[in-house]
């Protein structure tokens, strides 16, 4: 069995949210809906960033559903538990499963094709009542999910595709995620606004995952739409190999771009875990490089933002909440009901709001009562 900084410009956050902010935000999203890099006023980006930075958003998810099923065996395949986002979701699943009284068996694929095959074989061998995929790309998993599909085993996933919500023509019923395109656009917009429209940007992505490529493309479009910004390059680095590759890449980028490189955007915080030591070694030349991440809000990212070490923002996914949602969606499927289709709103974590929505200040955990709401749906009050 597989083993189970610095601050953004303060002016950006001092802007009052006007009555028309939501309309501006909708305009921002629709302006890019065609996939074209349409020009957009920096003030409109600023309003969008302010809206995404607000803490204490109320719960806007489901409030009704089937009572919790009892004594279920759930297999959970995690793409790579070294990834903080995946680990955070897995912990949320376990927390919710404990409330349900379900047994969770965890299989770590280790980020490799062989690991995925082994984890999937071990998972089907336990004859689970349902399956959770955390972080694996749906396209690469389709063929090895056939046995689950043939046996009618319900499957839900986290970050398994480029679009959140129900999945059509897939053995996976639901992809739980914030909207990756919106996440990417907010991240890139924050860099544009903080740089006053003069950012020199390198984007880090992993083309092994469709969701990562989608984020990188959306970030690139925003930077290209900024007249005074420069997209220096998009660097493709497999997340599973980032520890070994990123140190050399950082020195190469500094040598290649010099002072033109002022902002690094990434599809995941993990790249910055290995970039920071190299930038510290680089000394003076690296002191004006700022990090912003389009996911997932790892504890190390929170520490960098809180202490002002290079990273200024991350679009933090509600990882623990997503774990509870995975359990809820499976419960609906096992009761022969449709998934809720809920998509959590985008939240940008900054030095100004990092003290909110996180009991231990190292993870974004919305203070919106979602645990009690799900307990009420499942008829598990008091547990």
């Amino acid at each position: 069995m597989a083993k189970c900084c610095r601050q953004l410009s303060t002016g950006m956050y001092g802007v009052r949210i006007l009555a028309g902010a939501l309309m501006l935000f909708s305009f921002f999203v629709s302006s890019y809906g065609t996939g074209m890099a349409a020009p957009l006023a920096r003030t409109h980006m600023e309003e969008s960033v302010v809206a995404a930075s607000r803490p204490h958003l109320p719960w806007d998810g489901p409030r009704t559903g089937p009572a919790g099923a009892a004594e279920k065996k759930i297999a959970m395949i995690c793409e790579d538990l070294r990834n903080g986002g995946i680990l955070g979701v897995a912990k949320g699943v376990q927390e919710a499963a404990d409330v349900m009284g379900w047994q969770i068996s965890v299989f770590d694929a280790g980020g490799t094709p062989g690991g995925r095959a082994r984890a999937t074989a071990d998972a089907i061998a336990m004859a689970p009542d349902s399956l959770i995929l955390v972080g694996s790309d749906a396209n690469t998993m389709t063929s090895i999910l056939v046995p689950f599909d043939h046996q009618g085993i319900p499957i839900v996933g986290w970050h398994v595709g480029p679009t959140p919500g129900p999945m059509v023509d897939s053995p996976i019923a639901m992809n739980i995620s914030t909207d990756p395109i919106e996440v990417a656009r907010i991240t890139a917009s924050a860099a544009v606004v903080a740089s006053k429209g003069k950012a020199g940007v390198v984007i880090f992505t992993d083309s092994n995952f469709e969701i990562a490529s989608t984020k990188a493309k959306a970030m690139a479009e925003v930077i290209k739409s900024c007249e005074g910004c420069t997209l220096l390059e998009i660097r493709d680095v497999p997340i599973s190999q980032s520890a070994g590759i990123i140190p050399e890449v950082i020195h190469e980028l500094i040598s290649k771009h010099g002072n033109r490189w002022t902002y690094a955007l990434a599809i995941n915080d993990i790249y910055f875990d290995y970039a920071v030591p190299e930038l510290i070694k680089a000394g003076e030349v690296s002191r004006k490089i700022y990090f912003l991440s389009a996911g997932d809000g790892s504890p190390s990212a929170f520490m960098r933002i809180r202490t002002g070490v290079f990273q200024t923002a991350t679009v933090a996914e509600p990882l623990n909440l997503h774990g509870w949602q995975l359990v809820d969606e499976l419960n609906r499927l096992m009761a022969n009901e449709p998934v809720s289709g809920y998509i959590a709103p985008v939240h940008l974590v900054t030095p100004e709001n990092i003290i909110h929505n996180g009991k231990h200040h190292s993870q974004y955990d919305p203070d919106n009562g979602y645990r009690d709401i799900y307990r009420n749906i499942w008829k598990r009050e008091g547990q």
Side-chain angles (χ1 to χ4, degrees):
M1 180 176 290
K3 186 180 180 180
C4 325
C5 159
R6 306 178 195 94
Q7 296 185 348
L8 288 167
S9 169
T10 55
M12 183 171 66
Y13 298 99
V15 177
R16 179 186 296 177
I17 302 177
L18 303 174
L22 291 178
M23 179 181 70
L24 289 169
F25 183 66
S26 297
F27 171 67
F28 167 69
V29 172
S30 64
S31 293
Y32 290 92
T34 61
M36 301 297 290
L40 186 65
R42 202 163 71 237
T43 54
H44 296 173
M45 290 190 189
E46 187 171 284
E47 292 289 353
S48 300
V49 171
V50 170
S53 303
R54 289 177 296 178
H56 305 305
L57 294 175
W59 174 252
D60 62 346
R63 290 183 177 271
T64 61
E71 300 179 357
K72 295 296 183 180
K73 294 191 304 179
I74 312 299
M76 179 164 59
I77 299 176
C78 297
E79 175 66 19
D80 192 342
L81 284 170
R82 293 170 295 183
N83 182 303
I86 291 172
L87 181 60
V89 171
K91 288 179 177 179
V93 168
Q94 186 63 65
E95 185 181 274
D98 288 343
V99 171
M100 282 289 207
W102 292 358
Q103 175 189 336
I104 301 289
S105 296
V106 181
F107 305 91
D108 186 359
T112 67
R116 288 181 210 111
R118 287 190 298 273
T120 306
D122 289 340
I124 194 67
M126 66 169 278
D129 293 298
S130 57
L131 172 67
I132 296 173
L133 297 178
V134 185
S136 298
D137 186 80
N139 289 334
T140 63
M141 294 291 288
T142 298
S143 61
I144 56 180
L145 291 177
V146 168
F148 295 90
D149 194 31
H150 284 173
Q151 295 181 37
I153 297 171
I155 308 172
V156 294
W158 179 82
H159 279 211
V160 295
T163 306
M167 300 187 71
V168 179
D169 299 325
S170 171
I172 305 169
M174 168 94 179
N175 177 34
I176 294 173
S177 169
T178 49
D179 185 335
I181 295 178
E182 188 178 352
V183 166
R185 290 170 178 161
I186 288 294
T187 303
S189 292
V192 171
V193 173
S195 69
K196 295 181 171 56
K198 299 178 181 178
V201 177
V202 172
I203 297 174
F204 293 97
T205 190
D206 183 349
S207 62
N208 291 302
F209 299 93
E210 191 175 0
I211 188 172
S213 297
T214 298
K215 283 183 179 181
K217 180 180 178 181
M219 286 191 285
E221 287 176 346
V222 172
I223 299 304
K224 289 176 182 178
S225 78
C226 169
E227 185 176 352
C229 299
T230 304
L231 178 60
L232 299 172
E233 65 178 278
I234 299 176
R235 184 57 68 100
D236 189 359
V237 178
I239 288 177
S240 61
Q241 300 174 38
S242 56
I245 295 176
I246 283 294
E248 182 179 345
V249 167
I250 293 299
H251 290 287
E252 178 190 334
L253 292 171
I254 290 174
S255 176
K256 181 178 179 180
H257 300 298
N259 292 332
R260 292 186 302 152
W261 182 24
T262 56
Y263 283 82
L265 307 182
I267 54 91
N268 192 284
D269 292 303
I270 197 168
Y271 292 109
F272 300 151
D273 293 349
Y274 307 111
V276 165
E278 304 310 314
L279 289 179
I280 292 173
K281 292 176 190 177
E284 186 66 31
V285 70
S286 72
R287 291 182 184 177
K288 293 184 179 180
I289 299 176
Y290 303 88
F291 294 163
L292 296 92
S293 174
D296 297 312
S298 68
S300 58
F302 270 59
M303 181 177 292
R304 286 190 292 268
I305 293 169
R306 194 168 55 246
T307 57
V309 179
F310 292 104
Q311 191 159 358
T312 58
T314 181
V315 176
E317 299 241 34
L319 302 174
N320 202 76
L321 184 159
H322 278 165
W324 281 65
Q325 186 183 352
L326 284 162
V327 169
D328 181 65
E329 304 296 1
L330 278 185
N331 189 60
R332 292 169 190 271
L333 291 170
M334 288 188 288
N336 296 314
E337 294 194 11
V339 294
S340 74
Y342 176 59
I343 301 171
V346 171
H347 180 61
L348 183 72
V349 174
T350 70
E352 288 78 8
N353 67 20
I354 197 168
I355 65 171
H356 303 290
N357 290 322
K359 192 184 300 182
H360 304 294
H361 308 309
S362 62
Q363 179 179 321
Y364 173 49
D365 194 16
D367 186 17
N368 58 15
Y370 70 87
R371 290 177 176 85
D372 289 338
I373 291 167
Y374 276 126
R375 286 190 184 100
N376 181 63
I377 293 172
W378 301 335
K379 312 302 183 197
R380 296 290 199 275
E381 294 92 338
Q383 290 182 265

